[in-house]
Amino acid sequence: MPATTLDQLVSLCKRRGFVFPSSEIYGGLQGVFDWGPLGVELKNNIIASWWRANVYERDDMEGLDAAILMNRLTWRYSGHEETFNDPLVDCRDCKSRWRADHIKGRCPNCGSTNLTEPRPFNMMFKTSVGPVADADSFAYLRPETAQGIFVNFGNVLATSSRKLPFGIAQVGKAFRNEINPRNFLFRVREFEQMEIEYFVMPGTEDEWHQRWLDDRLAWWESIGVPRERIRMYDVPPDELAHYSKRTFDLMYNYPTLGYEEVEGIASRTDYDLGSHSRDQETLNLTARTNTNRDSTARLTYYDPESKRHVVPFVIEPSAGVGRCFLAVLAEAYDEQMVKAPPAERIGAVTDALDAFLKSVGRSEKLAPETRDALLERGQAICEGLPETMPQIETLLAMPGADQIELGKKLRGQAQGPIDEYFRTVLHLKPHLAPVRVAVFPLKRNHEGLVAMARDLRRTIQTGSSFRTAYDDTGAIGRLYRRQDEIGTPYCVTVDFQSLEDGTVTVRDRDTMQQVRIPASEVRAYVGG
Ligand code: GAP
């Protein structure tokens, strides 16, 4: 079963080092996160899978990596200086600041309706380039990667000899000064985008829009996010961005959050290339653009058939890496009861959980919403026991739980049975798993076993595109659990028989079944 709450994912990311708050030792920075050792592997594998599907496996795409800092004029003519705004309101009572469209007229902090009128807030971060900070040195951190592609359209066309239709793909950082960053990786101020600008002959854009929708849904399926978990939202005209003729938003059913946008597929007409072109009046543009007296280029395509210069139309599939990472984790997440714990141990956990929740209910230290969140989650766990027992780890990692003394007792009662009778497992697709293969010696203090296991790890790793790990820091059962929790598809154990006949056991993460094969065949077996 996929994750049922966002907290399950936050807790896993924290305890296994997928994601850390940025500059945590100084109190962090709101809306900014760092990728830990496992997080960076999973993220890189997602990006590699996207690049492979959209650049290598097609014959109509080129890649690009444009700079984050760009000439400020880019953002004037893209329309971002004027329109990249969110409506901002202040609460006059508690002085907090909110996005007007997120709060339904009531301050989420203190409940007051005494709010200021909404006013536009531009979300682009500003910086200065060079030693003197004046009006001429002013630059923005890009709020999307797309504009780097549009301003390079002429360069790519001239150097690649592409014919329409063709696309340019880019993965890179984007920055938005979100008013209220929230929900872990979902809404942050620094994030990565995977964007495609696909250039087509005017008049064919609707057909290509549909084709890209189908292609993108197939990719989501290939990384473990099935079609039935994504809703397609055909954005109504009054909600469309300033550049869009039509947009399909892919909405993933996130735990706790419900359906939220994970990718947008926009039909951007000739707005972008037209906006960044000179001589606009000669280009027969359909889009309404600002008059551009600064550009030095006409971003057009010479169509050999009609012998005319045309401004291509654009289809843009654009996905956020962090939102994709969360969706992949949510889908892969599973808590399984491997064996039923004995009744007396369930009873002891139930009593400790009861006592903990009573203490939460009586606590004067906890803010009301923290108390309610703990109680709501705790009661749901109580009702679902014993299956929900692993969620006690998540409960105890929630904000405020550490202020309740009885949490220690609950952890004491619950941790043993959780480790013994349950497992958390990430059913990640093997090509996404942070570690594809883990190799263990049956005994860590046996020289022969350790040497063979270390050697095997090196052999599997050498020349392969995935990560292979060695671990001997616990008993085998515990090592399996640790790898299950990070989604390692294959665990290889070197035992005494290995020393005699050169075979090893390979355990499958999902079925927990083991096969014995020659060590020399492991690489091929795991798909290397
Ligand atoms: N070039 C088009 C564009 O940037 P967008 O809908 O604003 O369109 C595209 O962003 C994707 O980037 C979104 O679907 C989402 O996955 C991701 N994204 C946007 N803002 C984000 C934020 N503050 N935090 C995390 N991801 C974000």
Side-chain angles (χ1 to χ4, degrees):
M1 194 176 68
T4 50
T5 68
L6 196 59
D7 287 331
Q8 286 172 312
L9 305 181
V10 175
S11 166
L12 174 74
C13 285
K14 192 164 155 188
R15 66 177 186 268
R16 297 309 311 271
F18 280 88
V19 177
F20 305 126
S22 158
S23 39
E24 193 176 11
I25 60 167
Y26 294 111
L29 182 64
Q30 215 196 351
V32 188
F33 291 92
D34 297 338
W35 301 96
L38 297 172
V40 67
E41 299 290 350
L42 175 53
K43 174 173 80 82
N44 286 347
N45 289 342
I46 289 173
I47 292 171
S49 150
W50 183 91
W51 194 267
R52 206 177 316 114
N54 291 298
V55 182
Y56 299 167
E57 290 174 8
R58 302 178 61 107
D59 51 15
D60 55 356
M61 294 287 293
E62 299 290 346
L64 183 76
D65 187 5
I68 289 170
L69 296 175
M70 302 175 76
N71 188 307
R72 177 187 176 178
L73 293 172
T74 307
W75 307 106
R76 177 176 305 163
Y77 292 112
S78 69
H80 283 76
E81 277 194 337
E82 203 181 325
T83 59
F84 199 57
N85 299 317
D86 270 346
L88 175 79
V89 291
D90 286 310
C91 172
R92 290 198 181 92
D93 291 337
C94 73
K95 310 294 175 219
S96 59
R97 190 160 271 191
W98 303 97
R99 249 178 81 164
D101 55 334
H102 280 174
I103 62 169
K104 298 195 186 93
R106 184 178 292 277
C107 171
N109 192 40
C110 69
S112 166
T113 52
N114 188 12
L115 306 173
T116 60
E117 282 303 305
R119 61 184 185 285
F121 168 75
N122 194 288
M123 291 201 291
M124 288 195 287
F125 280 100
K126 299 168 189 74
T127 187
S128 58
V129 178
V132 184
D134 60 17
D136 293 335
S137 67
F138 187 82
Y140 295 107
L141 301 189
R142 67 181 178 199
E144 61 171 15
T145 64
Q147 298 303 321
I149 299 182
F150 295 129
V151 299
N152 274 297
F153 173 76
N155 290 334
V156 176
L157 187 64
T159 52
S160 68
S161 322
R162 285 282 179 185
K163 304 259 172 293
L164 288 190
F166 77 95
I168 304 177
Q170 175 167 224
V171 181
K173 292 263 182 176
F175 301 82
R176 296 185 188 180
N177 199 0
E178 296 282 353
I179 298 164
N180 290 122
R182 57 185 177 166
N183 296 328
F184 192 38
L185 301 173
F186 184 80
R187 188 174 303 286
V188 288
R189 291 183 166 139
E190 174 177 338
F191 57 100
E192 273 167 288
Q193 290 184 313
M194 304 182 282
E195 297 204 294
I196 294 163
E197 306 303 331
Y198 195 76
F199 303 99
V200 305
M201 285 300 277
T204 63
E205 68 276 12
D206 293 345
E207 178 202 333
W208 280 105
H209 200 192
Q210 185 60 46
R211 279 170 77 163
W212 272 106
L213 173 64
D214 297 342
D215 286 357
R216 295 302 303 137
L217 287 168
W219 180 76
W220 282 101
E221 187 101 41
S222 79
I223 61 163
V225 183
R227 179 67 189 89
E228 63 273 15
R229 301 274 294 166
I230 294 179
R231 240 185 230 163
M232 201 277 279
Y233 180 59
D234 194 346
V235 180
D238 60 326
E239 289 177 24
L240 287 173
H242 61 278
Y243 49 72
S244 173
K245 165 183 166 187
R246 191 175 181 193
T247 295
F248 302 138
D249 278 349
L250 305 188
M251 314 288 280
Y252 173 71
N253 191 6
Y254 286 98
T256 306
L257 312 181
Y259 283 95
E260 291 285 353
E261 178 188 332
V262 67
E263 170 162 359
I265 307 173
S267 183
R268 295 180 72 128
T269 69
D270 51 5
Y271 175 84
D272 304 281
L273 295 182
S275 295
H276 289 303
S277 282
R278 70 181 171 96
D279 303 335
Q280 289 163 321
E281 55 290 350
T282 66
L283 300 180
N284 289 324
L285 296 175
T286 63
R288 208 144 42 87
T289 57
N290 295 327
T291 309
N292 191 332
R293 301 260 176 261
D294 294 299
S295 171
T296 57
R298 275 184 222 97
L299 300 179
T300 56
Y301 168 82
Y302 179 72
D303 176 27
E305 268 180 36
S306 65
K307 302 198 175 16
R308 277 187 314 122
H309 287 274
V310 294
V311 179
F313 273 40
V314 171
I315 304 298
E316 180 200 60
S318 169
V321 175
R323 290 190 189 179
C324 176
F325 181 96
L326 267 190
V328 165
L329 269 191
E331 278 306 311
Y333 191 91
D334 195 8
E335 287 163 354
Q336 292 177 343
M337 188 159 71
V338 181
K339 207 161 44 151
E344 69 277 9
R345 298 193 74 179
I346 302 172
V349 172
T350 311
D351 292 346
L353 184 55
D354 254 5
F356 173 79
L357 292 178
K358 281 200 183 109
S359 182
V360 169
R362 283 193 302 262
S363 170
E364 282 166 10
K365 285 185 274 180
L366 298 175
E369 62 275 22
T370 309
R371 197 165 44 218
D372 291 350
L374 285 171
L375 286 174
E376 194 186 325
R377 175 65 45 75
Q379 270 142 14
I381 295 171
C382 257
E383 281 156 26
L385 282 172
E387 276 82 3
T388 50
M389 210 182 280
Q391 292 176 30
I392 289 173
E393 277 185 335
T394 306
L395 179 73
L396 292 173
M398 282 171 67
D402 55 350
Q403 293 182 39
I404 303 297
E405 197 48 34
L406 286 171
K408 286 192 196 121
K409 182 145 186 246
L410 173 57
R411 189 181 295 284
Q413 291 295 353
Q415 203 61 55
I418 293 172
D419 290 346
E420 210 175 325
Y421 300 103
F422 295 86
R423 66 172 190 150
T424 299
V425 54
L426 291 184
H427 300 287
L428 292 171
K429 296 277 181 190
H431 69 287
L432 297 186
V435 175
R436 173 89 62 96
V437 189
V439 185
F440 317 134
L442 185 65
K443 289 198 178 310
R444 70 172 148 187
N445 47 12
H446 188 285
E447 227 174 88
L449 294 177
V450 168
M452 183 172 171
R454 282 196 181 278
D455 199 43
L456 180 58
R457 185 210 78 84
R458 228 182 346 264
T459 311
I460 301 171
Q461 183 63 75
T462 306
S464 61
S465 57
F466 53 77
R467 183 149 196 203
T468 303
Y470 170 88
D471 196 1
D472 64 8
T473 56
I476 288 292
R478 189 161 174 75
L479 296 182
Y480 284 152
R481 294 293 155 82
R482 286 176 58 79
Q483 296 296 331
D484 287 346
E485 200 180 35
I486 64 168
T488 306
Y490 304 103
C491 288
V492 176
T493 302
V494 172
D495 57 16
F496 290 105
Q497 189 177 332
S498 312
L499 297 179
E500 282 167 23
D501 64 7
T503 62
V504 291
T505 61
V506 183
R507 171 187 178 270
D508 180 282
R509 173 196 67 198
D510 298 335
T511 63
M512 295 188 279
Q513 298 297 309
Q514 297 185 24
V515 292
R516 183 170 278 282
I517 60 172
S520 57
E521 288 174 16
V522 174
R523 173 86 169 267
Y525 186 88
V526 301

